[in-house]
Amino acid sequence: ILIKAKPRGCDDYGCGHFGAGRGSRKHKGIDYCAESGDEICSNVTGRVSKLGYTYGDDLSYRYVEITDSKSSRHRFFYIEPSVSVGDVVSVGEAIGIAQDISKRYTKNGTMRNHVHYEIINRNGVHIKPG
């Protein structure tokens, strides 16, 4: 679903575009609309370099990191991984299932369910996906 997904846009929690305000910081990726349970596909070819947890205080939300041939790290947040560290994935290959983030984001309104996608280049700088 990720390759052709619609961007999240704006909701009660803010906007999902790269650089959107997040209080004192900026959003470092792009949010793509996804329903809980949707199969999420990679939009990059590379090796799965990490499976992590989105939040230190809640280990139910996960992410997949894929490192490409230029050593850029592509991170896909709010997905239950279906891949393992070391797997090689291609563009369009399934990497996990979208998680339901509504349980975490309901105190100040509603947030559209989505997958967050960010790229960190080899110098450690977040760059705009696109």
Side-chain angles (χ1 to χ4, degrees), residues 47-123:
R47 184 175 303 277
V48 177
S49 48
K50 186 174 184 180
L51 301 178
Y53 298 96
T54 306
Y55 305 108
D57 67 342
D58 185 346
L59 301 183
S60 60
Y61 295 99
R62 307 289 309 272
Y63 73 86
V64 172
E65 178 182 277
I66 299 170
T67 301
D68 68 19
S69 62
K70 296 178 183 176
S71 298
S72 291
R73 294 176 289 150
H74 300 252
R75 291 183 176 173
F76 303 84
F77 287 74
Y78 311 123
I79 68 172
E80 184 62 40
S82 61
V83 291
S84 298
V85 171
D87 288 353
V88 174
V89 297
S90 300
V91 172
E93 188 173 337
I95 58 172
I97 303 295
Q99 295 181 294
D100 182 0
I101 61 170
S102 67
K103 294 171 191 159
R104 185 166 178 101
Y105 293 101
T106 57
K107 292 181 182 175
N108 298 318
T110 57
M111 179 185 284
R112 287 187 193 101
N113 213 66
H114 66 276
V115 171
H116 170 90
Y117 173 56
E118 65 184 34
I119 303 171
I120 305 167
N121 70 16
R122 68 179 345 149
N123 298 318

